[in-house]
Amino acid sequence: MPAHDFVSPDSIRAQFSAAMSLMYKQEVPLYGTLLGLVSEINQQVMAKQPEIAAALRWTGEVERLDQERHGAIRVGSAEELATLARLFAVMGMQPVGYYDLSSAGVPVHSTAFRAVHEQSLHVSPFRVFTSLLRLELIDDLQLRELARSILAEREIFTSRALALMTQAERDGGLRADDAQAFVQEALHTFRWHRDATVSAEQYRRLHDQHRLIADVVAFRGPHINHLTPRTLDIDAIQAGMPAKGITPKAVIEGPPARRHPILLRQTSFKALQEAVAFSDAQGSHTARFGEIEQRGAALTPKGRALYDRLLEAARAASGGSPSEATAERYMTLLQQSFAEFPDDLAQMREQGLAYFRYFATDKGLAERAQAERPQTLEGLIGAGHVHFEALVYEDFLPVSAAGIFQSNLGDDGQTQYGSNANREAFEAALGMQVQDEKTLYAQTERRSLQACAQALNLGSL
Ligand code: OOG
Ligand code: NI
Protein backbone atom coordinates (compact mmCIF):
# COMPACT_ATOMS: atom_id res chain seq x y z
CA MET A 1 0.00 0.00 0.00
CA PRO A 2 1.52 3.37 -0.94
CA ALA A 3 2.49 5.53 2.01
CA HIS A 4 0.40 8.46 0.79
CA ASP A 5 -2.76 6.54 1.62
CA PHE A 6 -1.87 6.76 5.29
CA VAL A 7 -3.14 9.42 7.65
CA SER A 8 -0.21 11.17 9.33
CA PRO A 9 0.39 10.23 12.98
CA ASP A 10 0.08 13.95 13.77
CA SER A 11 -3.43 13.99 12.43
CA ILE A 12 -4.36 10.83 14.37
CA ARG A 13 -3.06 12.52 17.52
CA ALA A 14 -5.09 15.66 16.82
CA GLN A 15 -8.21 13.53 16.35
CA PHE A 16 -7.49 11.57 19.50
CA SER A 17 -6.90 14.72 21.55
CA ALA A 18 -10.24 16.15 20.39
CA ALA A 19 -12.03 12.87 21.10
CA MET A 20 -10.52 12.68 24.60
CA SER A 21 -11.62 16.22 25.32
CA LEU A 22 -15.17 15.43 24.24
CA MET A 23 -15.26 12.26 26.33
CA TYR A 24 -13.88 13.99 29.41
CA LYS A 25 -16.38 16.83 29.05
CA GLN A 26 -19.15 14.25 29.25
CA GLU A 27 -17.52 12.42 32.16
CA VAL A 28 -16.56 15.52 34.17
CA PRO A 29 -18.78 18.50 33.28
CA LEU A 30 -16.60 20.81 35.39
CA TYR A 31 -13.87 20.33 32.79
CA GLY A 32 -16.18 22.02 30.27
CA THR A 33 -16.63 24.96 32.68
CA LEU A 34 -12.87 25.22 32.99
CA LEU A 35 -12.38 25.23 29.21
CA GLY A 36 -14.83 28.13 29.01
CA LEU A 37 -12.93 30.11 31.65
CA VAL A 38 -9.56 29.42 30.01
CA SER A 39 -10.73 30.49 26.59
CA GLU A 40 -12.34 33.65 28.02
CA ILE A 41 -9.11 34.64 29.78
CA ASN A 42 -6.91 33.76 26.81
CA GLN A 43 -9.00 36.10 24.63
CA GLN A 44 -8.68 38.87 27.22
CA VAL A 45 -4.92 38.46 27.47
CA MET A 46 -4.50 38.58 23.69
CA ALA A 47 -6.68 41.69 23.46
CA LYS A 48 -5.06 43.55 26.35
CA GLN A 49 -1.46 42.51 25.83
CA PRO A 50 -0.78 42.69 22.11
CA GLU A 51 2.91 41.85 22.69
CA ILE A 52 1.88 38.40 23.97
CA ALA A 53 -0.39 37.87 20.97
CA ALA A 54 2.43 38.96 18.65
CA ALA A 55 4.90 36.52 20.25
CA LEU A 56 2.40 33.66 19.88
CA ARG A 57 1.95 34.55 16.22
CA TRP A 58 5.71 34.42 15.60
CA THR A 59 5.98 30.95 17.07
CA GLY A 60 2.69 29.68 15.66
CA GLU A 61 1.46 28.81 19.16
CA VAL A 62 -1.58 30.98 18.57
CA GLU A 63 -2.86 28.29 16.22
CA ARG A 64 -2.44 25.42 18.66
CA LEU A 65 -3.55 27.17 21.85
CA ASP A 66 -7.23 26.26 21.73
CA GLN A 67 -6.55 22.58 21.30
CA GLU A 68 -3.58 22.46 23.65
CA ARG A 69 -3.96 20.12 26.61
CA HIS A 70 -2.29 17.34 28.53
CA GLY A 71 -3.79 14.32 30.21
CA ALA A 72 -2.52 12.00 32.94
CA ILE A 73 -2.88 8.28 33.48
CA ARG A 74 -1.41 5.66 35.81
CA VAL A 75 -0.77 2.07 34.80
CA GLY A 76 -0.04 -1.01 36.87
CA SER A 77 2.44 -3.19 35.00
CA ALA A 78 5.35 -3.24 32.61
CA GLU A 79 3.17 -4.89 29.93
CA GLU A 80 0.59 -2.13 30.19
CA LEU A 81 3.27 0.55 29.91
CA ALA A 82 5.00 -1.10 26.96
CA THR A 83 1.73 -1.53 25.07
CA LEU A 84 0.78 2.08 25.79
CA ALA A 85 4.07 3.09 24.19
CA ARG A 86 2.97 1.21 21.06
CA LEU A 87 -0.47 2.81 21.15
CA PHE A 88 0.98 6.31 21.50
CA ALA A 89 3.54 5.62 18.76
CA VAL A 90 0.69 5.20 16.27
CA MET A 91 -0.16 8.84 17.09
CA GLY A 92 3.42 10.05 16.79
CA MET A 93 3.96 10.30 20.56
CA GLN A 94 7.24 9.22 22.13
CA PRO A 95 8.34 8.97 25.75
CA VAL A 96 10.29 12.06 26.81
CA GLY A 97 11.92 12.50 30.21
CA TYR A 98 11.98 10.44 33.40
CA TYR A 99 10.26 11.65 36.57
CA ASP A 100 10.83 10.02 39.95
CA LEU A 101 7.92 10.72 42.30
CA SER A 102 8.93 8.26 45.03
CA SER A 103 11.01 10.88 46.80
CA ALA A 104 7.77 12.89 47.17
CA GLY A 105 5.92 9.97 48.73
CA VAL A 106 4.13 8.80 45.59
CA PRO A 107 4.93 5.19 44.61
CA VAL A 108 5.24 5.80 40.86
CA HIS A 109 7.72 6.87 38.25
CA SER A 110 6.70 8.54 35.04
CA THR A 111 7.37 9.84 31.57
CA ALA A 112 5.53 12.13 29.16
CA PHE A 113 4.38 10.82 25.81
CA ARG A 114 4.40 13.62 23.25
CA ALA A 115 5.37 14.67 19.74
CA VAL A 116 9.04 15.64 19.50
CA HIS A 117 9.40 17.78 16.37
CA GLU A 118 8.23 21.41 16.35
CA GLN A 119 6.20 20.86 13.18
CA SER A 120 4.36 17.95 14.79
CA LEU A 121 3.88 19.90 18.01
CA HIS A 122 2.37 22.66 15.94
CA VAL A 123 -0.24 20.26 14.52
CA SER A 124 -1.06 18.86 17.96
CA PRO A 125 0.87 19.42 21.19
CA PHE A 126 -1.21 16.79 23.02
CA ARG A 127 0.81 15.06 25.76
CA VAL A 128 0.09 12.42 28.35
CA PHE A 129 1.87 12.27 31.71
CA THR A 130 2.10 8.53 32.24
CA SER A 131 2.96 6.94 35.57
CA LEU A 132 3.85 3.35 36.36
CA LEU A 133 2.88 2.04 39.78
CA ARG A 134 5.85 0.62 41.67
CA LEU A 135 4.55 -2.46 43.40
CA GLU A 136 8.02 -3.13 44.77
CA LEU A 137 7.57 -0.12 47.06
CA ILE A 138 4.59 -1.73 48.82
CA ASP A 139 6.13 -3.21 51.95
CA ASP A 140 3.16 -5.43 52.86
CA LEU A 141 4.09 -8.53 50.84
CA GLN A 142 0.63 -10.04 50.94
CA LEU A 143 -0.93 -6.86 49.65
CA ARG A 144 1.75 -6.54 46.99
CA GLU A 145 0.89 -10.02 45.77
CA LEU A 146 -2.83 -9.25 45.80
CA ALA A 147 -2.25 -6.13 43.69
CA ARG A 148 -0.02 -8.02 41.29
CA SER A 149 -2.51 -10.83 40.76
CA ILE A 150 -5.43 -8.44 40.20
CA LEU A 151 -3.40 -6.46 37.67
CA ALA A 152 -2.23 -9.60 35.90
CA GLU A 153 -5.81 -10.45 35.04
CA ARG A 154 -6.92 -7.27 33.40
CA GLU A 155 -6.62 -6.29 29.74
CA ILE A 156 -6.77 -2.53 29.33
CA PHE A 157 -6.83 -2.51 25.51
CA THR A 158 -9.66 -3.67 23.28
CA SER A 159 -8.75 -6.47 20.90
CA ARG A 160 -9.50 -4.19 17.95
CA ALA A 161 -7.11 -1.54 19.31
CA LEU A 162 -4.40 -4.17 19.66
CA ALA A 163 -5.03 -5.44 16.13
CA LEU A 164 -4.89 -1.91 14.67
CA MET A 165 -1.63 -1.22 16.52
CA THR A 166 -0.11 -4.35 15.02
CA GLN A 167 -1.44 -3.40 11.59
CA ALA A 168 0.03 0.12 11.85
CA GLU A 169 3.40 -1.29 12.88
CA ARG A 170 3.38 -3.85 10.07
CA ASP A 171 2.20 -1.52 7.28
CA GLY A 172 3.85 1.67 8.52
CA GLY A 173 0.59 3.56 9.06
CA LEU A 174 -3.21 3.58 9.03
CA ARG A 175 -5.64 4.68 6.34
CA ALA A 176 -8.38 7.17 7.21
CA ASP A 177 -11.08 4.66 8.12
CA ASP A 178 -8.71 2.56 10.23
CA ALA A 179 -7.32 5.67 11.89
CA GLN A 180 -10.81 6.73 12.85
CA ALA A 181 -11.57 3.28 14.24
CA PHE A 182 -8.25 3.30 16.09
CA VAL A 183 -9.10 6.59 17.82
CA GLN A 184 -12.47 5.23 18.97
CA GLU A 185 -10.93 1.96 20.17
CA ALA A 186 -8.06 3.72 21.95
CA LEU A 187 -10.55 5.91 23.83
CA HIS A 188 -11.89 2.85 25.67
CA THR A 189 -8.58 2.40 27.48
CA PHE A 190 -8.92 5.84 29.11
CA ARG A 191 -12.61 5.74 29.95
CA TRP A 192 -13.95 5.84 33.51
CA HIS A 193 -15.56 2.61 34.77
CA ARG A 194 -17.78 2.96 37.78
CA ASP A 195 -17.73 -0.79 38.42
CA ALA A 196 -14.56 -1.75 40.26
CA THR A 197 -12.88 -5.13 39.83
CA VAL A 198 -12.38 -5.68 43.57
CA SER A 199 -14.49 -6.15 46.68
CA ALA A 200 -15.06 -3.30 49.12
CA GLU A 201 -12.67 -4.96 51.57
CA GLN A 202 -9.91 -5.35 48.97
CA TYR A 203 -10.39 -1.73 47.96
CA ARG A 204 -10.05 -0.64 51.58
CA ARG A 205 -6.80 -2.57 52.00
CA LEU A 206 -5.32 -1.14 48.81
CA HIS A 207 -6.51 2.33 49.73
CA ASP A 208 -5.08 2.14 53.25
CA GLN A 209 -1.67 1.35 51.80
CA HIS A 210 -1.88 4.37 49.46
CA ARG A 211 -4.85 5.98 47.77
CA LEU A 212 -3.01 5.88 44.49
CA ILE A 213 -2.59 2.11 44.67
CA ALA A 214 -6.35 1.67 44.94
CA ASP A 215 -6.83 4.05 42.01
CA VAL A 216 -4.59 1.95 39.77
CA VAL A 217 -5.42 -1.55 40.94
CA ALA A 218 -9.17 -1.49 41.66
CA PHE A 219 -10.42 -0.55 38.19
CA ARG A 220 -10.59 -2.04 34.73
CA GLY A 221 -8.29 0.47 33.12
CA PRO A 222 -6.15 3.62 33.48
CA HIS A 223 -8.96 6.17 33.41
CA ILE A 224 -7.75 9.59 32.42
CA ASN A 225 -7.54 11.44 35.74
CA HIS A 226 -7.33 14.98 34.38
CA LEU A 227 -7.13 16.93 31.14
CA THR A 228 -5.38 20.24 31.42
CA PRO A 229 -5.91 23.21 29.14
CA ARG A 230 -3.20 25.86 28.67
CA THR A 231 -3.91 29.38 29.86
CA LEU A 232 -1.99 32.57 29.12
CA ASP A 233 -2.62 33.91 32.64
CA ILE A 234 -2.81 31.39 35.45
CA ASP A 235 -3.15 34.07 38.14
CA ALA A 236 -6.32 35.32 36.48
CA ILE A 237 -7.61 31.74 36.34
CA GLN A 238 -6.77 31.10 39.98
CA ALA A 239 -8.61 34.30 40.94
CA GLY A 240 -11.55 33.56 38.64
CA MET A 241 -12.15 29.96 39.70
CA PRO A 242 -14.18 30.53 42.91
CA ALA A 243 -16.76 32.59 40.98
CA LYS A 244 -17.32 29.51 38.81
CA GLY A 245 -17.78 27.34 41.88
CA ILE A 246 -14.29 25.80 41.70
CA THR A 247 -11.84 25.87 44.63
CA PRO A 248 -8.22 25.70 43.49
CA LYS A 249 -5.31 24.39 45.56
CA ALA A 250 -3.67 27.15 47.59
CA VAL A 251 -0.29 27.21 45.84
CA ILE A 252 0.45 27.57 42.15
CA GLU A 253 3.21 25.06 41.42
CA GLY A 254 6.34 26.11 39.56
CA PRO A 255 8.01 29.50 39.17
CA PRO A 256 6.38 32.75 40.31
CA ALA A 257 4.51 35.14 38.00
CA ARG A 258 6.86 36.90 35.58
CA ARG A 259 6.67 39.19 32.58
CA HIS A 260 8.35 36.44 30.55
CA PRO A 261 7.07 33.10 31.84
CA ILE A 262 9.49 30.22 32.20
CA LEU A 263 8.83 26.47 32.27
CA LEU A 264 5.44 25.64 33.68
CA ARG A 265 3.02 26.98 36.30
CA GLN A 266 0.13 24.75 37.35
CA THR A 267 -2.84 24.79 39.65
CA SER A 268 -5.49 22.15 40.25
CA PHE A 269 -8.72 21.55 42.11
CA LYS A 270 -9.77 18.52 44.06
CA ALA A 271 -11.55 15.57 42.65
CA LEU A 272 -15.18 14.99 43.39
CA GLN A 273 -16.28 11.80 45.07
CA GLU A 274 -17.68 9.41 42.52
CA ALA A 275 -20.02 6.50 43.09
CA VAL A 276 -18.39 3.13 42.57
CA ALA A 277 -19.82 -0.39 42.50
CA PHE A 278 -17.47 -2.86 44.18
CA SER A 279 -18.00 -6.53 43.46
CA ASP A 280 -20.02 -6.86 46.65
CA ALA A 281 -21.13 -3.37 47.71
CA GLN A 282 -21.63 0.24 46.69
CA GLY A 283 -19.01 2.81 47.61
CA SER A 284 -17.12 5.84 46.36
CA HIS A 285 -13.73 6.82 45.01
CA THR A 286 -12.04 10.12 44.25
CA ALA A 287 -10.29 9.72 40.96
CA ARG A 288 -10.52 12.63 38.65
CA PHE A 289 -9.58 16.26 39.19
CA GLY A 290 -9.08 19.45 37.26
CA GLU A 291 -5.86 21.24 36.41
CA ILE A 292 -4.81 24.34 34.48
CA GLU A 293 -1.36 25.31 33.34
CA GLN A 294 0.59 28.19 31.89
CA ARG A 295 3.64 27.41 29.77
CA GLY A 296 6.77 29.50 29.34
CA ALA A 297 10.32 29.25 28.05
CA ALA A 298 12.19 25.94 27.93
CA LEU A 299 15.39 26.35 29.94
CA THR A 300 18.90 25.22 29.07
CA PRO A 301 20.77 23.07 31.60
CA LYS A 302 22.21 26.32 33.01
CA GLY A 303 18.77 27.94 33.27
CA ARG A 304 17.28 24.80 34.76
CA ALA A 305 20.01 24.58 37.40
CA LEU A 306 19.24 28.17 38.35
CA TYR A 307 15.50 27.40 38.47
CA ASP A 308 16.06 24.34 40.68
CA ARG A 309 18.30 26.28 43.04
CA LEU A 310 15.91 29.23 43.43
CA LEU A 311 12.89 26.94 43.89
CA GLU A 312 14.73 24.90 46.51
CA ALA A 313 15.78 28.05 48.35
CA ALA A 314 12.18 29.27 48.55
CA ARG A 315 10.95 25.88 49.74
CA ALA A 316 13.68 25.62 52.35
CA ALA A 317 12.94 29.14 53.60
CA SER A 318 9.26 28.32 53.98
CA GLY A 319 10.07 25.10 55.82
CA GLY A 320 9.54 22.45 53.13
CA SER A 321 6.63 21.67 50.85
CA PRO A 322 4.11 24.52 50.91
CA SER A 323 0.69 23.76 52.40
CA GLU A 324 -2.60 25.65 52.72
CA ALA A 325 -1.30 27.26 55.90
CA THR A 326 2.03 28.47 54.47
CA ALA A 327 0.78 29.28 50.95
CA GLU A 328 0.85 33.04 51.16
CA ARG A 329 4.28 33.27 52.75
CA TYR A 330 5.63 30.70 50.31
CA MET A 331 4.46 32.71 47.29
CA THR A 332 6.21 35.80 48.69
CA LEU A 333 9.41 33.85 49.33
CA LEU A 334 9.24 32.40 45.82
CA GLN A 335 8.89 35.84 44.27
CA GLN A 336 11.88 37.07 46.29
CA SER A 337 14.01 34.08 45.44
CA PHE A 338 13.34 34.39 41.70
CA ALA A 339 14.37 38.04 41.62
CA GLU A 340 17.74 36.55 40.69
CA PHE A 341 16.37 35.05 37.45
CA PRO A 342 16.47 37.76 34.72
CA ASP A 343 12.98 38.58 33.48
CA ASP A 344 14.07 39.82 30.08
CA LEU A 345 14.30 37.73 26.92
CA ALA A 346 17.47 39.39 25.63
CA GLN A 347 19.24 38.80 28.94
CA MET A 348 17.98 35.25 29.16
CA ARG A 349 19.39 34.66 25.70
CA GLU A 350 22.70 36.38 26.32
CA GLN A 351 23.21 34.43 29.52
CA GLY A 352 22.26 31.14 27.86
CA LEU A 353 19.38 30.45 30.27
CA ALA A 354 16.67 29.48 27.76
CA TYR A 355 16.23 27.97 24.30
CA PHE A 356 15.02 30.22 21.49
CA ARG A 357 13.57 30.15 18.02
CA TYR A 358 14.85 32.54 15.41
CA PHE A 359 12.93 34.08 12.52
CA ALA A 360 14.03 36.10 9.48
CA THR A 361 12.16 39.40 9.54
CA ASP A 362 10.67 41.23 6.55
CA LYS A 363 13.54 43.68 6.84
CA GLY A 364 16.06 40.86 6.82
CA LEU A 365 14.47 39.33 3.73
CA ALA A 366 14.29 42.69 1.94
CA GLU A 367 17.96 43.40 2.57
CA ARG A 368 19.37 39.95 2.03
CA ALA A 369 21.04 40.93 -1.24
CA GLN A 370 22.89 43.90 0.26
CA ALA A 371 26.61 43.40 0.55
CA GLU A 372 26.89 45.53 3.69
CA ARG A 373 24.48 43.66 5.89
CA PRO A 374 25.63 41.93 9.09
CA GLN A 375 26.63 38.28 8.87
CA THR A 376 26.61 37.16 12.48
CA LEU A 377 23.57 36.24 14.52
CA GLU A 378 24.20 39.04 16.99
CA GLY A 379 24.69 41.53 14.17
CA LEU A 380 21.52 40.39 12.39
CA ILE A 381 19.50 40.64 15.59
CA GLY A 382 20.91 44.11 16.26
CA ALA A 383 20.02 45.24 12.73
CA GLY A 384 16.48 43.85 13.01
CA HIS A 385 17.06 41.17 10.38
CA VAL A 386 16.44 38.35 12.80
CA HIS A 387 13.78 38.16 15.48
CA PHE A 388 13.81 35.69 18.39
CA GLU A 389 11.21 34.23 20.71
CA ALA A 390 11.60 31.81 23.60
CA LEU A 391 10.99 28.17 22.75
CA VAL A 392 7.99 26.92 24.71
CA TYR A 393 8.48 24.22 27.38
CA GLU A 394 6.68 21.03 26.32
CA ASP A 395 7.42 18.90 29.41
CA PHE A 396 6.65 18.62 33.11
CA LEU A 397 8.37 19.37 36.42
CA PRO A 398 8.91 16.68 39.05
CA VAL A 399 8.44 18.93 42.10
CA SER A 400 5.26 20.38 40.58
CA ALA A 401 3.94 16.96 39.62
CA ALA A 402 4.49 15.78 43.19
CA GLY A 403 2.55 18.82 44.44
CA ILE A 404 -0.30 18.05 42.04
CA PHE A 405 -0.38 14.38 43.08
CA GLN A 406 -0.32 15.34 46.77
CA SER A 407 -3.01 17.98 46.58
CA ASN A 408 -5.37 15.45 45.12
CA LEU A 409 -4.43 12.63 47.41
CA GLY A 410 -5.01 14.81 50.46
CA ASP A 411 -2.37 16.04 52.89
CA ASP A 412 -3.24 13.27 55.31
CA GLY A 413 -0.93 10.33 55.87
CA GLN A 414 2.15 11.30 53.86
CA THR A 415 3.98 8.12 52.98
CA GLN A 416 7.76 7.93 52.89
CA TYR A 417 9.47 5.88 50.19
CA GLY A 418 12.85 7.55 50.37
CA SER A 419 14.52 8.49 47.13
CA ASN A 420 14.17 5.57 44.79
CA ALA A 421 14.79 6.89 41.29
CA ASN A 422 15.25 3.92 38.99
CA ARG A 423 15.31 5.04 35.42
CA GLU A 424 16.77 1.75 34.19
CA ALA A 425 13.86 -0.22 35.66
CA PHE A 426 11.39 2.21 34.12
CA GLU A 427 13.01 1.95 30.70
CA ALA A 428 13.13 -1.83 30.99
CA ALA A 429 9.38 -1.85 31.66
CA LEU A 430 8.76 0.59 28.82
CA GLY A 431 10.87 -1.45 26.44
CA MET A 432 12.86 1.55 25.25
CA GLN A 433 14.78 4.55 26.48
CA VAL A 434 13.08 7.86 27.19
CA GLN A 435 14.29 10.79 25.12
CA ASP A 436 16.18 13.66 26.64
CA GLU A 437 14.07 16.81 26.43
CA LYS A 438 17.02 19.19 26.42
CA THR A 439 18.43 17.51 23.32
CA LEU A 440 15.06 17.98 21.60
CA TYR A 441 14.94 21.70 22.46
CA ALA A 442 18.51 22.18 21.26
CA GLN A 443 17.59 20.48 17.96
CA THR A 444 14.59 22.75 17.43
CA GLU A 445 16.72 25.80 18.15
CA ARG A 446 19.35 24.59 15.69
CA ARG A 447 16.77 23.96 12.97
CA SER A 448 15.36 27.45 13.39
CA LEU A 449 18.84 28.94 12.99
CA GLN A 450 19.39 26.87 9.86
CA ALA A 451 16.06 27.98 8.41
CA CYS A 452 16.98 31.59 9.17
CA ALA A 453 20.38 31.26 7.52
CA GLN A 454 18.76 29.75 4.44
CA ALA A 455 16.06 32.43 4.22
CA LEU A 456 18.71 35.13 4.49
CA ASN A 457 21.08 33.47 2.01
CA LEU A 458 23.80 32.90 4.57
CA GLY A 459 25.95 29.78 4.82
CA SER A 460 25.19 29.16 8.46
CA LEU A 461 24.37 30.90 11.71
C1 OOG B 1 -0.18 13.10 37.49
C2 OOG B 1 0.21 14.30 38.30
C3 OOG B 1 1.24 15.17 37.58
C4 OOG B 1 1.34 17.27 36.10
O1 OOG B 1 0.75 17.99 35.28
O2 OOG B 1 2.43 17.55 36.59
C5 OOG B 1 0.66 16.02 36.51
C6 OOG B 1 -1.22 12.24 38.14
O3 OOG B 1 -1.85 12.67 39.12
O4 OOG B 1 -1.43 11.13 37.63
O5 OOG B 1 -0.35 15.76 35.93
NI1 NI C 1 -1.21 17.33 34.95
Side-chain angles (χ1 to χ4, degrees), residues 70-72 129 226 228 266 289 291 293 396 404:
H70 83 252
F129 191 88
H226 62 280
T228 302
Q266 299 174 304
F289 61 96
E291 186 192 44
E293 66 187 16
F396 295 87
I404 298 287

Side-chain angles (χ1 to χ4, degrees), residues 70-74 101 110 129 131 212 225-226 228 264 266 289 291 293 295 396-398 400-402 404-405 408:
H70 83 252
I73 54 168
R74 305 148 182 173
L101 279 308
S110 320
F129 191 88
S131 302
L212 198 96
N225 68 55
H226 62 280
T228 302
L264 179 62
Q266 299 174 304
F289 61 96
E291 186 192 44
E293 66 187 16
R295 291 189 171 264
F396 295 87
L397 296 167
S400 299
I404 298 287
F405 266 110
N408 290 290

Side-chain angles (χ1 to χ4, degrees), residues 257-272:
R258 296 161 47 93
R259 209 155 60 85
H260 295 285
I262 51 173
L263 298 174
L264 179 62
R265 301 182 73 211
Q266 299 174 304
T267 186
S268 66
F269 54 88
K270 282 208 175 110
L272 300 172

Side-chain angles (χ1 to χ4, degrees), residues 198-343:
V198 300
S199 68
E201 166 62 11
Q202 287 173 326
Y203 177 87
R204 191 191 55 72
R205 286 180 61 204
L206 294 165
H207 187 278
D208 284 356
Q209 178 73 207
H210 198 296
R211 179 150 21 156
L212 198 96
I213 297 174
D215 185 58
V216 177
V217 177
F219 297 91
R220 295 221 304 269
H223 40 257
I224 180 103
N225 68 55
H226 62 280
L227 261 191
T228 302
R230 173 176 169 193
T231 177
L232 297 174
D233 186 348
I234 199 162
D235 297 294
I237 296 278
Q238 180 94 348
M241 276 159 83
K244 304 269 180 192
I246 309 172
T247 313
K249 74 197 279 290
V251 171
I252 295 179
E253 298 290 343
R258 296 161 47 93
R259 209 155 60 85
H260 295 285
I262 51 173
L263 298 174
L264 179 62
R265 301 182 73 211
Q266 299 174 304
T267 186
S268 66
F269 54 88
K270 282 208 175 110
L272 300 172
Q273 285 227 332
E274 295 178 270
V276 169
F278 297 113
S279 59
D280 56 350
Q282 300 296 314
S284 69
H285 177 69
T286 42
R288 282 94 58 81
F289 61 96
E291 186 192 44
I292 308 91
E293 66 187 16
Q294 178 174 5
R295 291 189 171 264
L299 300 184
T300 60
K302 183 181 172 196
R304 180 56 186 266
L306 180 58
Y307 169 81
D308 287 337
R309 177 163 70 73
L310 300 180
L311 184 74
E312 190 40 46
R315 290 168 70 90
S318 96
S321 295
S323 64
E324 297 262 335
T326 60
E328 210 164 306
R329 189 171 125 76
Y330 172 73
M331 293 308 268
T332 307
L333 290 166
L334 191 66
Q335 198 83 46
Q336 285 167 359
S337 180
F338 273 80
E340 211 185 301
F341 203 117
D343 193 2

